[in-house]
Amino acid sequence: NRRTGFILTLVVITIIIGSVSLLYVAGRHYSSVYAFNESVYSMQQGKAVDELEKQVESAYQLSTSDVFARRIAEYQLARMNELMSRTTPTTEEQQQFQNASVMGVNAAQQAIQIDALEPSNWSVLGGIYGVLSSVGVEGAQERAIEALTKARDLNPKNPLPYLESAIVEARAGNYVGARTYIEKAISLKSNYTEAFFLLSQLEIATGNVEAAIQSTQAVISLEPQNPARYYQLGVLESSRKNVAGAVPAFERAIALDTNYANARYLLALAYDELGRSADAKLQLEAVLALNPGNTEVTTLINVINTEGSLKSLRAGANMTVNEAEPVTNENGTVSTTQDSGTSLVTPINTAPKVETEEEEAAQ
């Protein structure tokens, strides 16, 4: 009858609209995942960060996801760290650093708004604030500690937030606190290369190299099959210019783990310093196979091919391979009232000096 026909027609129309809407949402989700996967593939091919970021931003616009927002924040953090390595940054690079810091914080906070229970979202926010803390941005250290504490609370078995907390403390000069966090990270991951490297750098910074070497050798006697301990020993020996002593340590680390890219990388630098450039090239080629598209490793190989050694670049080579709101003024530049220690951030908005009564009387 007419009434039944009307109801059936309404039901069919509702089903059609629902199906079209579902297909639309599913299509956008598929497109966003495809764009994100393309960015991952591009990263593996060693493409520029700007290109990767555009791909992830495209994915985020198609489908709001904390994963996409977090990846954008991670790219901004990578850009900040890369710019921090410039000894004499240009005006353009200073602006890039400032933009990356603002965009990175915004993306990380957006990821947290989407999923505040994902520890990785808090971790990347803490990492960004940690970099801002290192250049003296007021309140950044407190915000970094707060975010990383949240990350640790949400996933106490993940060693990464402990390592990032150690980096923040080390940059602030709190080596005791940094060492505590590093030891916790190592207790959660016994072969944590980055943690061992940072621990070695702390020992070097505090002048405890000899004691650290003795301690590492003692631990090796207890953990003879742990390649990370030999890697740590090699770093320490290198720091006191004992290249001949560092080589067997790195070689032992590789013998225990043939895919130990960082050990191969530093072994290559040590080989080259000893005049064994052919052996250094073999190690770098192995590192490149483990890190396809790594531009710095490719550059080192090319230098050996053209110059016969790495003498011109060895000192500037990196030591590892990939295995609070920021204070801003009206035009968006990051500012600080402290000595930032880098020309990427210019101290501005400096609080006026408060004169004492004695100084006023003297005037």
Side-chain angles (χ1 to χ4, degrees):
N1 57 43
R2 183 178 300 176
R3 182 179 179 182
T4 302
F6 176 78
I7 294 174
L8 289 175
T9 301
L10 184 61
V11 170
V12 171
I13 293 174
T14 302
I15 292 174
I16 292 175
I17 294 175
S19 299
V20 172
S21 300
L22 182 62
L23 288 173
Y24 175 75
V25 173
R28 287 180 64 89
H29 178 72
Y30 174 81
S31 299
S32 67
V33 172
Y34 178 81
F36 181 76
N37 289 338
E38 280 294 300
S39 73
V40 174
Y41 176 76
S42 299
M43 179 178 62
Q44 294 172 345
Q45 299 302 310
K47 294 186 177 180
V49 173
D50 290 339
E51 182 177 345
L52 305 179
E53 187 177 358
K54 289 179 181 178
Q55 292 174 324
V56 178
E57 287 177 348
S58 175
Y60 183 78
Q61 292 171 357
L62 289 169
S63 177
T64 302
S65 167
D66 69 304
V67 176
F68 302 156
R70 182 173 69 248
R71 181 55 64 87
I72 293 173
E74 290 171 346
Y75 286 147
Q76 298 298 338
L77 177 58
R79 180 180 283 107
M80 292 169 67
N81 282 320
E82 193 275 330
L83 290 169
M84 282 285 291
S85 65
R86 309 289 177 87
T87 54
T88 55
T90 64
T91 301
E92 181 182 359
E93 290 170 341
Q94 294 174 22
Q95 188 62 50
Q96 289 176 357
F97 178 85
Q98 294 159 1
N99 293 341
S101 63
V102 174
M103 293 175 63
V105 169
N106 290 339
Q109 289 180 335
Q110 183 63 34
I112 290 171
Q113 289 179 6
I114 297 172
D115 187 357
L117 297 180
E118 172 53 55
S120 298
N121 295 338
W122 292 98
S123 183
V124 69
L125 179 62
I128 294 172
Y129 278 136
V131 174
L132 292 175
S133 172
S134 69
V135 297
V137 174
E138 289 84 351
Q141 182 179 355
E142 292 76 11
R143 291 176 181 268
I145 293 173
E146 178 183 353
L148 293 173
T149 299
K150 185 68 174 179
R152 296 196 305 269
D153 292 342
L154 289 171
N155 188 2
K157 297 298 183 181
N158 184 0
L160 179 58
Y162 290 96
L163 179 61
E164 292 175 334
S165 298
I167 293 174
V168 172
E169 296 293 352
R171 284 171 171 168
N174 181 12
Y175 296 133
V176 174
R179 186 175 284 104
T180 299
Y181 281 125
I182 293 173
E183 291 172 351
K184 179 61 178 179
I186 293 174
S187 71
L188 294 172
K189 185 179 180 181
S190 61
N191 61 343
Y192 203 176
T193 295
E194 291 80 1
F196 282 114
F197 181 76
L198 180 58
L199 181 59
S200 299
Q201 296 305 300
L202 283 183
E203 303 295 0
I204 295 169
T206 55
N208 297 327
V209 177
E210 296 296 334
I213 288 176
Q214 294 177 7
S215 175
T216 302
Q217 291 173 334
V219 174
I220 286 176
S221 66
L222 300 175
E223 302 177 6
Q225 301 303 315
N226 188 342
R229 292 296 185 180
Y230 291 96
Y231 170 85
Q232 181 185 19
L233 178 61
V235 172
L236 291 169
E237 292 288 7
S238 296
S239 72
R240 64 172 184 173
K241 308 302 181 183
N242 183 15
V243 181
V247 165
F250 290 134
E251 289 176 337
R252 182 56 180 163
I254 294 171
L256 292 171
D257 182 0
T258 57
N259 292 329
Y260 206 146
N262 282 291
R264 287 187 179 276
Y265 186 93
L266 295 185
L267 178 60
L269 299 182
Y271 276 157
D272 184 77
E273 195 166 350
L274 294 176
R276 300 170 57 180
S277 298
D279 293 332
K281 181 181 176 182
L282 291 176
Q283 292 300 325
L284 289 172
E285 289 172 344
V287 174
L288 188 61
L290 296 169
N291 292 263
N294 188 296
T295 56
E296 180 172 349
V297 175
T298 302
T299 298
L300 294 179
I301 293 173
N302 292 336
V303 169
I304 290 180
N305 289 335
T306 57
E307 300 181 12
S309 75
L310 297 174
K311 184 178 180 180
S312 62
L313 294 179
R314 193 185 304 127
N318 288 339
M319 298 299 287
T320 58
V321 291
N322 289 332
E323 272 190 268
E325 298 290 340
V327 180
T328 60
N329 61 16
E330 293 181 355
N331 64 5
T333 57
V334 176
S335 61
T336 174
T337 60
Q338 304 175 14
D339 181 7
S340 63
T342 172
S343 53
L344 286 168
V345 178
T346 303
I348 59 177
N349 297 339
T350 305
K353 179 182 178 183
V354 179
E355 296 180 343
T356 63
E357 295 180 358
E358 291 78 4
E359 290 174 328
E360 291 179 350
Q363 293 178 352

